[in-house]
Amino acid sequence: MTSLVSVIVPCRNEAAHIGAFAASVLAQRLPAGLALEVVVADGRSDDGTRDRLAALAAADARLRWIDNPARTTPVALNRAIAAAQGEWIVRMDVHTTYADDYVAQCVQALQDTGASCVGGPWRAAVVDDGVVAPAVAAAFGSRFGAGGAASRRLDHTGEVDTVYLGAWRRDTLLRLGGFDEALVRNQDDELALRIVRGGGRVWQSAAIRSSYVPRASFLALFRQFWQYGYWKVAVIRKHRLPASPRHLVPFAFVATLTVLALAAPWSGIAASAGAVLLAVYATAALAIAAVPMPPWQHPWRWLAVAWAFACMHAGYGLGFARGLLDHVLRRRAGAQATTLTR
């Protein structure tokens, strides 16, 4: 008997990438007894993506596309889940490349572990030999950059608090109510948190292999992590507790520096404490950046990795601070945080 696995894909303005992505996912190697369908939820693209999707669907009946008028990721995912017909649901994103057994490994892990959600490590790809992209990729995969998250450890197999992308049984997603559509970002983390708080397990398998293409500029990296920090407040507010204490560290760092800077004109102790805190952070960032990018071999990339750490941590901390203002005091999301960035 053949079992169907549905790949669900949120998409918006991906005309330059959707063709290569579709070719990759449709070339997945599946074991006997497993068939594939791909459901792309397009968020009202205006760059020609919809025409490309129509052509791809006409060329291969395994691919379908549906409309996502809300233009946000959680709505795209829920609409795709509703349209999917498979017993298994595997999420994919366009800006990621996948091993040709990615879908098969996801289904195998779900069967072997009995976990409610499975996925692979969040591996950052190096897309060119310049300075910025390799530095961002190195920072993204660093335990210092990610706060020690197990989902960035490429060799880790076992229980985690969240995974990259994710795969589930369809009935599990329906029972959980799908993704929280109020969360523009972090909806995957929130779903994983619901699973764990409900007694289920989230499992990472190192055999589930993919490579994510990170942001190509420091400003884009900062904006990405600003949104992560901003929407983490909404997740914490919903569950009354962070999934991990590490989610609070960047905000604590930024808040402490801000208080010390404001007090510095009137207090020498505050000025000295702020300078020491910055020096300690800079020393740690430069020392850890030297592991993937030794300064005697890659001096500019070494400095760029350290700067990428700062963009990630400052972006997250400042986004978290703004999230506290909007979600806790104003009780509504600000307009600048509801548009996804790339």
Side-chain angles (χ1 to χ4, degrees):
M1 181 177 177
T2 300
S3 178
L4 184 65
V5 55
S6 299
V7 170
I8 60 172
V9 187
C11 170
R12 185 169 191 272
N13 287 344
E14 298 290 2
H17 306 283
I18 193 64
F21 167 78
S24 172
V25 65
L26 291 171
Q28 286 284 304
R29 292 188 298 108
L30 300 180
L34 199 62
L36 178 74
E37 73 164 355
V38 182
V39 182
V40 180
D42 180 73
R44 300 285 171 92
S45 294
D46 54 15
D47 69 339
T49 298
R50 293 165 83 91
D51 292 337
R52 292 178 182 267
L53 284 171
L56 290 166
D60 195 320
R62 292 176 297 169
L63 186 146
R64 293 183 288 131
W65 71 277
I66 60 174
D67 188 39
N68 169 26
R71 303 182 182 183
T72 64
T73 298
V75 174
L77 293 171
N78 285 342
R79 282 184 165 244
I81 292 165
Q85 300 173 2
E87 175 185 355
W88 316 93
I89 302 290
V90 176
R91 176 183 173 179
M92 286 187 169
D93 281 351
V94 175
H95 288 273
T96 299
T97 58
Y98 305 88
D100 61 3
D101 64 345
Y102 182 89
V103 171
Q105 290 290 348
C106 285
V107 174
Q108 190 66 52
L110 285 167
Q111 292 174 324
D112 290 347
T113 65
S116 299
C117 173
V118 304
W122 201 344
R123 176 188 284 102
V126 179
V127 295
D128 63 46
D129 58 358
V131 173
V132 176
V136 171
F140 206 90
S142 165
R143 296 188 70 180
F144 178 73
S151 60
R152 306 288 178 89
R153 291 168 50 193
L154 304 184
D155 61 346
H156 178 73
T157 293
E159 291 191 42
V160 289
D161 55 10
T162 190
V163 291
Y164 180 52
L165 299 178
W168 312 261
R169 286 177 170 82
R170 186 171 187 272
D171 57 3
T172 298
L173 283 175
L174 295 177
R175 173 174 51 81
L176 290 166
F179 293 87
D180 187 335
E181 295 185 359
L183 300 175
V184 173
R185 291 265 190 207
N186 296 347
Q187 67 281 150
D188 48 353
D189 289 351
E190 191 277 331
L191 178 63
L193 184 56
R194 262 188 284 150
I195 289 171
V196 173
R197 295 260 165 94
R201 290 188 301 156
V202 178
W203 187 269
Q204 178 170 296
S205 169
I208 300 173
R209 296 167 296 138
S210 67
S211 295
Y212 162 79
V213 179
R215 302 306 194 264
S217 74
F218 293 125
L219 177 59
L221 181 69
F222 176 89
R223 293 173 64 193
Q224 176 188 16
F225 276 80
W226 190 95
Q227 287 196 333
Y228 284 154
Y230 183 94
W231 288 103
K232 184 62 69 176
V233 176
V235 175
I236 294 173
R237 182 168 176 252
K238 178 177 179 178
H239 291 274
R240 308 296 181 187
L241 193 69
S244 170
R246 73 172 182 274
H247 296 150
L248 305 177
V249 173
F251 168 68
F253 175 69
V254 169
T256 301
L257 274 181
T258 301
V259 170
L260 292 174
L262 291 174
W266 297 276
S267 171
I269 294 176
S272 297
V276 168
L277 183 57
L278 273 177
V280 169
Y281 178 85
T283 300
L286 289 168
I288 295 168
V291 176
M293 299 292 179
W296 54 91
Q297 295 178 355
H298 308 284
W300 291 112
R301 288 184 183 176
W302 167 59
L303 293 173
V305 173
W307 184 245
F309 286 147
C311 291
M312 293 162 67
H313 297 151
Y316 192 103
L318 290 170
F320 196 101
R322 182 56 186 264
L324 286 173
L325 176 64
D326 287 354
H327 291 294
V328 176
L329 299 181
R330 297 178 178 174
R331 297 185 178 273
R332 60 181 175 84
Q336 77 285 352
T338 58
T339 302
L340 289 176
T341 59
R342 178 70 208 177

